[in-house]
Amino acid sequence: DMSGVNATHWHARCSIFNAQSLRGKLDDLKFFIDSKKPDILFVTETWLNKTVSDAMIAPTNKYYVSRKERQNKRGGGVCALISRQFTVNLLETADDVEILAFDILLDAFNYRCILCYTGAALAGGVRGSGPPSLGQGHSRVLCKSDEFF
């Protein structure tokens, strides 16, 4: 329960990792959640599909599970686990990009979180050629200031 928490002195335990297939690492994920107890956990390259339920990813009584699988291709995908101690507003994002966005509402403050994943192939880059730039779809969505910022 976050009532009574002063939003100006609020801290959240956040983690991010690139799973490169979460399906085979669900036991490791559960161990991490149980031991580190993150408030927010961002995961890229989940490689999941609808055969993996939210309850298989995290205890749904403790976390909101927000995810977006890559459409019509293998790999990719993003997921956010958000502690149920927060009031959360999930935001709609375009279906054709791997972006999750949500607000954490605390007192009069609104903390916006955005998770975006783009692989080298999506960004038009070549693996090993350095960090890829955002692909056109991701850039288009992120640049709509009225939508996210």
Side-chain angles (χ1 to χ4, degrees):
D1 178 24
M2 297 299 291
S3 61
V5 173
N6 183 336
T8 58
H9 296 96
W10 174 71
H11 295 84
R13 290 180 307 270
C14 300
S15 294
I16 184 169
F17 77 96
N18 183 312
Q20 292 185 331
S21 184
L22 193 54
R23 184 186 302 259
K25 298 172 181 139
L26 292 173
D27 288 339
D28 294 332
L29 177 65
K30 287 181 177 142
F31 178 78
F32 180 82
I33 290 170
D34 289 342
S35 61
K36 300 298 182 186
K37 299 182 181 9
D39 295 315
I40 303 169
L41 177 61
F42 298 106
V43 185
T44 58
E45 284 199 87
T46 59
W47 298 9
L48 296 177
N49 58 39
K50 292 179 189 200
T51 64
V52 177
S53 70
D54 291 350
M56 292 171 69
I57 299 169
T60 54
N61 64 326
K62 294 182 180 178
Y63 288 94
Y64 299 103
V65 178
S66 179
R67 52 196 265 202
K68 184 166 299 183
E69 279 86 30
R70 182 172 288 173
Q71 300 296 313
N72 305 316
K73 288 186 181 179
R74 230 185 109 202
V78 292
C79 178
L81 309 180
I82 310 147
S83 173
R84 287 196 175 267
Q85 70 179 326
F86 303 126
T87 300
V88 176
N89 180 31
L90 297 174
L91 304 174
E92 285 191 41
T93 58
D95 288 336
D96 59 342
V97 290
E98 294 166 48
I99 295 177
L100 292 177
F102 58 90
D103 292 334
I104 293 178
L105 311 171
L106 188 60
D107 292 338
F109 295 93
N110 182 29
Y111 297 92
R112 178 145 300 168
C113 299
I114 301 170
L115 174 61
C116 173
Y117 174 75
T118 179
L122 286 176
V126 176
R127 293 206 184 275
S129 65
S133 61
L134 284 175
Q136 284 184 333
H138 293 75
S139 298
R140 175 179 42 81
V141 173
L142 286 174
C143 288
K144 287 184 175 180
S145 60
D146 63 333
E147 186 172 342
F148 283 125
F149 303 106

